[in-house]
Amino acid sequence: MLRLLRSRPNLFSLASRVHAARGVAESAGPQPHFIQVHRVNIRRKWFRPRNIIIAGCIYYVCYRVYKASVLGTLGAWVDEQEKELTTSEREELEEELLEPLFIPLPFTTKAVPSPPYRYSDPEWKTFVRVSKNKDQMRAIQGSLAEIVRKMAVATPELTQRCGRDMKLGRYWLDIQYPPRPPPTFVRKGICIDSDSIYVGEQPVDSLVVFRTQRALWPSALTVSLWSFSEALMKQNALYIAKLFGLEPTPSPPLQQAVDRIQQKWKKPSTSFPSASTQTATDDGDGGGGGSTTDAEPPAEKQPPAPDAGAGGALPLPPGAEPGKPKGVRDIYIIRHTQEHTSGAWQAFKQTFAQTWRPIRDLPPRGSIYVSGLVEVTTSRCFLTIDAAAFWDPKTENFDMKTATFRLRTLRLRTQTAAR
């Protein structure tokens, strides 16, 4: 308590004493100094009985809290759901629990070709029945042609160019009966049973296989990125060659067109819409004739732009509002990068549109293949569309997941020569 009441030493007196001691040491002459270095190895005791006991108590308390709050609630909910199960659902659940656990192995998926149809197969009997029924065959062909017409009407690009008054014209559709069902896919994996662990095979959905292949081998994206890189490298090479004066001289017409475009962009746009033409007819004593004048309103004087130097505001980007803060697109680096990669990005989109194909599943077993040409007529033009789809006898409908439609030709009804 008395130490708190003790006055603190004066810093100036302490500094004077240090300087005085240093002066005495210098007057006494140089003295040898011996520096001894001692290596100290600090060992920390990791395993202490007290820490182990405290950690064990904390873990036990956390486990009890988790078990009571989470596992207890889930257990009560499962018990309530189990009481509401019917006898059939309970049997299905028991069968699923008895099935062995399957852990698939990567890169072990393979396609297994299916055996051809036999005379005794129900699918082949359906093929024979459909082939003998001419009315049903014509109904199948007409149904696919009508689907093609509806798909054409639902396409905005075609309706904008050809009109919405699309009618079904002629169609040439062929019906084919596949000799064998589509292949199946299997993959290997580790099967864990109640008695043993072994390596087995299990069938897998074909759509899952196709999506996995698309994710592992994105060919369309790879080719598009290659086109992007190629176009960007060519653009940079031409720019470097232009800096060194090695740019190839274009043809005179092309050079003139480029010069006109550059002059058009460099010329400031100062044109305004002219005022409406006014006709004044003087019927007074002067007897003057009518006069027509085109008057333009005088341009308002704009305030001088603020200086971007010291103390002045930075110039706003084109198209930006004065009171609105600049966005990310208004930054110079981002805008310059977008302009520099615009040509390469256009090449990327063009290649991607040419190589991208949607993922299509295999048709159902026992389906009938229908393919050919369908003509759709409008008041402006004729459309010829390639169509291919599988007709499922079980549902008596076309499987739209595997259907493909592609525009083959577009012919105008009236063609005029250039003047």
Side-chain angles (χ1 to χ4, degrees):
M1 189 66 184
L2 297 177
R3 282 183 296 178
L4 298 176
L5 302 176
R6 185 185 304 172
S7 61
R8 295 184 180 180
N10 192 0
L11 297 177
F12 295 101
S13 62
L14 181 61
S16 61
R17 272 184 271 173
V18 169
H19 285 292
R22 183 178 298 177
V24 173
E26 291 178 356
S27 61
Q31 297 180 359
H33 296 278
F34 298 95
I35 300 175
Q36 296 181 359
V37 179
H38 299 278
R39 294 184 179 180
V40 180
N41 188 9
I42 300 175
R43 294 182 179 180
R44 185 176 181 181
K45 193 174 183 180
W46 293 97
F47 299 98
R48 293 182 180 179
R50 183 182 63 183
N51 296 343
I52 295 175
I53 294 172
I54 294 173
C57 295
I58 293 174
Y59 291 153
Y60 178 75
V61 171
C62 293
Y63 169 73
R64 297 297 299 180
V65 171
Y66 180 79
K67 184 178 180 181
S69 60
V70 179
L71 299 181
T73 306
L74 290 177
W77 179 78
V78 170
D79 293 339
E80 293 178 359
Q81 296 294 327
E82 188 177 359
K83 292 178 182 179
E84 297 177 359
L85 292 176
T86 60
T87 306
S88 59
E89 293 176 350
R90 196 182 301 273
E91 291 178 356
E92 292 179 0
L93 183 60
E94 291 178 357
E95 291 178 0
E96 292 180 358
L97 293 176
L98 293 176
E99 292 181 358
L101 178 63
F102 184 80
I103 303 176
L105 298 176
F107 304 104
T108 57
T109 305
K110 63 178 180 180
V112 179
S114 302
Y117 291 116
R118 298 176 179 270
Y119 290 102
S120 58
D121 292 340
E123 293 84 2
W124 189 260
K125 294 180 180 180
T126 304
F127 292 166
V128 174
R129 177 177 56 82
V130 173
S131 62
K132 293 181 179 180
N133 193 346
K134 302 299 181 182
D135 296 337
Q136 188 176 8
M137 293 176 62
R138 284 192 290 269
I140 293 173
Q141 294 172 345
S143 177
L144 181 58
E146 183 63 22
I147 290 174
V148 172
R149 188 193 69 82
K150 292 181 180 179
M151 294 291 292
V153 172
T155 306
E157 291 81 2
L158 295 179
T159 55
Q160 184 178 3
R161 185 173 181 180
C162 305
R164 299 188 62 87
D165 55 337
M166 294 187 179
K167 298 179 181 180
L168 186 62
R170 298 172 297 175
Y171 52 86
W172 304 266
L173 296 174
D174 187 20
I175 296 179
Q176 303 177 14
Y177 306 97
R180 62 175 64 203
T184 58
F185 293 90
V186 295
R187 60 182 175 184
K188 294 182 178 180
I190 302 174
C191 299
I192 303 176
D193 202 350
S194 59
D195 299 333
S196 60
I197 300 176
Y198 59 94
V199 178
E201 291 183 349
Q202 189 181 47
V204 60
D205 188 12
S206 58
L207 187 58
V208 175
V209 175
F210 296 150
R211 288 177 177 174
T212 305
Q213 291 177 354
R214 177 66 62 84
L216 295 178
W217 293 279
S219 57
L221 182 61
T222 304
V223 175
S224 303
L225 289 175
W226 178 263
S227 300
F228 178 86
S229 304
E230 185 178 7
L232 192 61
M233 290 179 63
K234 287 182 178 179
Q235 181 179 349
N236 294 336
L238 291 176
Y239 179 73
I240 295 174
K242 183 178 179 181
L243 293 178
F244 286 96
L246 302 176
E247 183 182 9
T249 57
S251 57
L254 180 60
Q255 183 64 33
Q256 294 176 3
V258 171
D259 294 338
R260 286 197 301 268
I261 293 174
Q262 290 180 354
Q263 292 177 4
K264 182 179 179 181
W265 282 104
K266 291 180 180 179
K267 185 183 298 182
S269 59
T270 56
S271 60
F272 296 92
S274 59
S276 58
T277 305
Q278 299 178 354
T279 305
T281 306
D282 188 5
D283 294 337
D285 298 335
S291 63
T292 303
T293 58
D294 294 340
E296 293 186 0
E300 298 181 359
K301 295 183 179 181
Q302 301 292 338
D307 190 8
L314 294 176
L316 292 174
E321 299 180 2
K324 188 177 180 181
K326 293 193 299 182
V328 178
R329 295 180 179 271
D330 299 331
I331 301 177
Y332 174 77
I333 298 177
I334 296 179
R335 189 170 65 252
H336 179 72
T337 304
Q338 290 179 349
E339 294 175 357
H340 183 67
T341 58
S342 59
W345 178 246
Q346 188 68 23
F348 174 86
K349 293 192 295 184
Q350 182 178 0
T351 307
F352 188 79
Q354 293 175 356
T355 57
W356 173 260
R357 295 293 181 271
I359 298 176
R360 302 189 183 278
D361 196 5
L362 294 178
R365 181 183 174 91
S367 300
I368 299 174
Y369 184 63
V370 184
S371 63
L373 300 176
V374 178
E375 185 182 58
V376 179
T377 62
T378 64
S379 58
R380 303 179 188 175
C381 56
F382 297 93
L383 301 174
T384 306
I385 301 174
D386 284 329
F390 285 89
W391 187 77
D392 190 2
K394 297 179 182 178
T395 60
E396 295 186 355
N397 288 320
F398 284 95
D399 185 26
M400 300 307 297
K401 297 180 181 179
T402 57
T404 57
F405 307 99
R406 186 175 63 87
L407 180 63
R408 175 182 283 264
T409 57
L410 192 151
R411 297 178 292 114
L412 298 176
R413 282 184 177 270
T414 57
Q415 297 181 357
T416 56
R419 295 180 180 179

